Amino acid sequence: MKALFIPLAAFGSLLAALICFALGLILPIVRLDYLYVWTNTYSIIGVIEALAASGEIFLAGVLLVFSVLFPTAKIGCLMAAFMRARRGDAWPEARARKRLDWLGKWSMLDVLILALVVFYAKVQLLSDAAALSGAYFFAASVLFTMASNPLIAASVKARPKVGAGSIRLIASRTRPPDSAPS
């Protein structure tokens, strides 16, 4: 039972991370109200486009790398590791797993920056801000991605080991009995 549940949990976590990540990129992440009259909503993709259009290429590039490309690469690497693990290949060395864990911690940086923007807007006298659904989907994507790494490692450990002894045992059960010498 455990050998079936853990790989399903790992796959489910990766799939949820991918869906939440896509929704987190396209749905509005923050609503800013100015003078309690004007309201703007922004998505991650919308912010990158607006920064690039206004000439802030460096900021748009940093946001693109750390909010879009980096999480996409991480989810892709985890998907590849999951597929390798399901084929029976070895899970990447401990050093690579530690790197993925370390990089996963930096994924929450975008969520922290969004929280700071909302806090800053709220302490201003004539403005207000609120986190919207995109922010929650983006944060959920980060959490699902962080959870999938140990689940993939556990699914490799939960696989039944098939070694040379197991193959000999299976072969001896399937071989017809030797005929008696005549």
Side-chain angles (χ1 to χ4, degrees), residues 47-64:
V47 168
I48 293 170
E49 289 173 349
L51 285 171
S54 68
E56 296 289 343
I57 303 299
F58 177 75
L59 288 176
V62 168
L63 194 59
L64 177 71

Side-chain angles (χ1 to χ4, degrees), residues 13 16-17 20-21 108 111 134-146:
S13 179
C20 288
F21 177 65
M108 286 300 282
V111 177
Y136 298 112
F137 279 113
F138 193 82
S141 164
V142 171
L143 295 175
F144 280 125
T145 304
M146 290 171 68

Side-chain angles (χ1 to χ4, degrees), residues 6 10 91 97 148-158:
I6 293 176
W91 173 242
R97 279 184 284 156
S148 64
N149 194 3
L151 285 171
I152 293 170
S155 72
V156 171
K157 292 176 186 170

Side-chain angles (χ1 to χ4, degrees), residues 30 32 108-124 129 131:
V30 68
L32 298 175
M108 286 300 282
L109 187 61
D110 292 330
V111 177
L112 173 68
I113 290 171
L114 175 65
L116 290 174
V117 167
V118 170
F119 173 75
Y120 176 75
K122 283 190 174 288
V123 296
Q124 299 295 315

Side-chain angles (χ1 to χ4, degrees), residues 6-172:
I6 293 176
L8 284 175
F11 179 74
S13 179
L14 282 171
L15 186 62
L18 189 61
I19 291 168
C20 288
F21 177 65
L23 290 172
L25 289 179
I26 61 173
L27 291 176
I29 58 167
V30 68
R31 183 189 73 232
L32 298 175
D33 299 324
Y34 305 99
L35 299 174
Y36 301 105
V37 178
W38 294 282
T39 299
N40 290 330
T41 58
Y42 299 99
S43 68
I44 293 175
I45 298 296
V47 168
I48 293 170
E49 289 173 349
L51 285 171
S54 68
E56 296 289 343
I57 303 299
F58 177 75
L59 288 176
V62 168
L63 194 59
L64 177 71
V65 167
F66 288 105
S67 295
V68 179
L69 300 179
F70 173 73
T72 302
K74 184 167 193 240
I75 292 172
C77 288
L78 286 170
M79 283 283 197
F82 176 75
M83 297 307 233
R84 286 181 56 198
R86 296 313 307 150
R87 277 196 326 250
D89 295 347
W91 173 242
E93 63 185 53
R95 201 165 160 194
R97 279 184 284 156
K98 285 182 183 177
R99 270 192 230 126
L100 279 173
D101 284 338
W102 182 79
L103 291 174
K105 291 176 181 127
W106 285 99
S107 298
M108 286 300 282
L109 187 61
D110 292 330
V111 177
L112 173 68
I113 290 171
L114 175 65
L116 290 174
V117 167
V118 170
F119 173 75
Y120 176 75
K122 283 190 174 288
V123 296
Q124 299 295 315
L125 293 177
L126 299 175
S127 65
D128 191 23
L132 299 177
S133 59
Y136 298 112
F137 279 113
F138 193 82
S141 164
V142 171
L143 295 175
F144 280 125
T145 304
M146 290 171 68
S148 64
N149 194 3
L151 285 171
I152 293 170
S155 72
V156 171
K157 292 176 186 170
R159 286 180 60 96
K161 302 277 191 238
V162 178
S166 302
I167 293 172
R168 272 182 276 176
L169 178 64
I170 293 169
S172 68

